Every structure is written in C-alpha cells, then in structure tokens.
C-alpha cells in the first residue's frame, strides 16, 4: 500500500505506539505520524515538545514524516491525500471508541481505519502518571523518547 497516517496525542509516545509505527512501515511505502491536539485532554507536554520527541524517534526511519494538527483527522487526510488511518487497540473499550471515530472518518472523509491488535497494554495516561509521580517509566517508552522527556523536564 502507498501511504497511511498514525494519529494520536502521543503524550507521551509509548512502546505501543512504536509497535504500530513499525507495523505501518512494513505495510506502507509512506507513513505519517501526526500529533492531534485534543482540547478535551490535559497534556503533560506541549504539542511542540511532543513533536520534538517524535522527530528524535523517527530520524532513522526513511519512510516516516511527522506533523501536528489542531484540526480533524479527516481534514488532515484530505489535505495530504491520505485515505488510511492506522490505530492501535489494546482492549474492547479501545475498540468501541475507535469504531466510532473510524465511522465518522469514513462517512465524512472517505478515510478507512485499520486496527492494529496486540499493542502493549500501557497507555500514555499511565506513563504520564509515572512521570508526574517520579516513577520509572523507561520500560514503557522507546529509549530516545525517555531521553527527550528527561531533557524537556530538565528545561522546565
């Protein structure tokens, strides 16, 4: 297949997200990883900080580009001529939520959503709590992400 987008808030980008990225790189010639800012979520890191971490992670991937958006997935896809979204599901609750979003994107943007199963069960919310509580989160995020998190926190 030609191209896809992986969407999320990525606050922070976890090993589960990396699994989806690695899967996408095997299936698609071009992969976009796009941070979507969700005004309903309280983020630990700014979109710029998340993009900084993401860029550090993907620098060695030849077929990956990153971006950030305040808009809707369907609109980003239309603007970039992408019609496939990859989303990870850990459990039934994830699937039920993702199914609603997939249907919206299909109806309003002609975007197909593919689900990647077998994703690590640790979510970004859990990792944020570990960071805020000073707990070790290293096993749940890629090494380059852990390093940039420490740098960002050190600058605050």
């Amino acid at each position: 297949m030609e191209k896809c987008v992986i969407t999320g808030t990525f606050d922070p980008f976890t090993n589960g997200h990396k699994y989806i990225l690695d899967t996408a790189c095997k299936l698609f010639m071009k992969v976009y990883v796009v941070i979507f800012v969700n005004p309903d979520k309280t983020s630990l890191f700014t979109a710029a900080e998340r993009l900084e971490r993401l860029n550090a992670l993907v620098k060695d991937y030849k077929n990956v580009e990153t971006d950030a958006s305040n808009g809707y997935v369907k609109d980003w896809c239309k603007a970039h001529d992408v019609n496939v979204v990859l989303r990870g599901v850990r459990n039934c609750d994830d699937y039920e939520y993702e199914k609603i979003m997939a249907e919206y994107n299909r109806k309003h943007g002609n975007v197909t959503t593919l689900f990647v199963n077998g994703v690590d069960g640790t979510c970004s919310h859990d990792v944020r709590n570990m960071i805020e509580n000073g707990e070790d989160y290293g096993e749940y995020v890629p090494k380059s992400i852990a390093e940039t998190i420490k740098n960002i926190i050190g600058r605050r």
Side-chain angles (χ1 to χ4, degrees):
M1 290 189 209
E2 190 173 325
K3 53 188 171 178
C4 76
V5 61
I6 302 168
T7 62
T9 54
F10 305 125
D11 187 38
F13 196 90
T14 67
N15 287 331
H17 295 129
K18 186 171 183 312
Y19 175 79
I20 297 166
L21 174 60
D22 291 339
T23 301
C25 287
K26 293 174 192 171
L27 299 173
F28 294 88
M29 293 172 59
K30 182 72 169 186
V31 177
Y32 297 93
V33 183
V34 181
I35 296 166
F36 280 86
V37 177
N38 183 340
D40 296 332
K41 289 186 177 181
T42 302
S43 297
L44 182 59
F45 299 100
T46 66
E49 290 169 334
R50 287 178 269 160
L51 193 56
E52 175 187 343
R53 287 196 317 266
L54 188 55
N55 286 331
L57 175 77
V58 304
K59 67 181 179 185
D60 295 327
Y61 287 79
K62 303 296 185 225
N63 63 332
V64 176
E65 286 186 30
T66 63
D67 197 5
S69 176
N70 291 324
Y72 291 101
V73 171
K74 68 173 182 68
D75 296 330
W76 187 96
C77 287
K78 182 177 181 179
H80 294 83
D81 194 31
V82 174
N83 61 2
V84 176
V85 174
L86 243 62
R87 296 288 295 172
V89 291
R90 295 174 302 242
N91 54 43
C92 293
D93 291 338
D94 278 357
Y95 176 74
E96 290 302 318
Y97 172 78
E98 294 297 340
K99 184 172 68 169
I100 294 166
M101 299 309 297
E103 185 63 17
Y104 175 84
N105 288 327
R106 185 189 64 75
K107 279 185 178 177
H108 300 285
N110 197 30
V111 176
T112 299
T113 301
L114 301 178
F115 298 117
V116 178
N117 194 12
V119 176
D120 177 329
T122 304
C123 65
S124 294
H125 180 266
D126 294 337
V127 176
R128 278 195 312 276
N129 286 340
M130 290 176 202
I131 293 167
E132 290 174 333
N133 294 324
E135 298 172 22
D136 183 14
Y137 54 88
E139 71 181 271
Y140 303 105
V141 299
K143 185 177 179 182
S144 64
I145 297 291
E147 290 170 3
T148 56
I149 288 172
K150 288 176 188 172
N151 290 337
I152 290 168
I153 291 174
R155 292 192 304 241
R156 289 184 177 171

